[in-house]
Amino acid sequence: STLLRGSAVRDAAPLTGGTVFDPDDLLAQMDELCRKSPRRNTGECVHGCGVGAADSPRLLLVREDIGRHNAMDKLIGQAWLDRIDLADKALFITGRISSEMALKSYRAGCPLLVSRKSATDEAARRASALGLTLVSHCREGGMRVLTHPERVPSR
């Protein structure tokens, strides 16, 4: 059986699925997230989080909070309430990708996690084992695909 408690992951089935995300759409969605974070744009220290579809340059939802974990929890919860299936979507965050953030994306069934910032080595190791695509440094026309690059083909 699969055990997902705290930071421990044992016998977890990797995420699968052939959803492919256009790099230009990912850049457009990240730019939109930064524009649509009203408190962030007024100089407050908050993190934004968004969800986007593979076939669109627009985001479906945006949430923000002073903590990046809380912002992601709010977003995943709202997606659940709105019955948005995350199995073919991408999650976007403005902060660093920690192993816990990668695990949250996996638990939500979302195959792609994108950030403007960096990812920890442990996040990349965990994402690789869980079948999760991590994209870091998504800004200024570029990005780094760290794991499972088949979901984000090179331009």
Side-chain angles (χ1 to χ4, degrees), residues 7 46 82 109 135:
S7 61
V46 298
D82 291 349
V135 176

Side-chain angles (χ1 to χ4, degrees), residues 15 17 19 21 26 90-91 97 102 105 110-114 127-128 130-136 144-152:
L15 293 175
T19 305
F21 296 82
L26 297 179
L91 290 178
I97 302 173
S105 185
C110 189
L112 181 62
L113 179 57
V114 182
S128 182
L130 295 173
L132 176 67
T133 299
L134 285 190
V135 176
S136 69
R144 294 181 187 159
V145 181
L146 303 175
T147 59
H148 298 281
E150 64 276 7
R151 290 194 183 105
V152 184

Side-chain angles (χ1 to χ4, degrees), residues 41-111:
N41 291 329
T42 61
E44 292 185 54
C45 294
V46 298
H47 290 282
C49 195
V51 64
D55 57 355
S56 172
R58 304 291 317 260
L59 292 173
L60 301 171
L61 289 173
V62 172
R63 293 294 180 268
E64 60 185 7
D65 196 276
I66 193 166
R68 68 186 194 280
H69 291 273
N70 292 347
M72 185 180 268
D73 291 343
K74 285 179 177 182
L75 183 80
I76 291 170
Q78 190 62 55
W80 182 81
L81 289 171
D82 291 349
R83 297 175 190 218
I84 296 172
D85 183 7
L86 297 178
D88 60 349
K89 306 294 186 297
L91 290 178
F92 294 82
I93 59 173
T94 58
R96 179 177 57 92
I97 302 173
S98 65
S99 60
E100 295 84 7
M101 299 298 277
L103 188 56
K104 284 178 191 234
S105 185
Y106 171 80
R107 286 178 175 156
C110 189

Side-chain angles (χ1 to χ4, degrees), residues 21-31 56-58 92 138 141-143 152-153 155:
F21 296 82
D22 183 281
D24 290 328
D25 286 347
L26 297 179
L27 286 162
Q29 290 167 329
M30 182 58 78
D31 286 345
S56 172
R58 304 291 317 260
F92 294 82
C138 183
M143 65 186 70
V152 184
R155 301 193 263 173

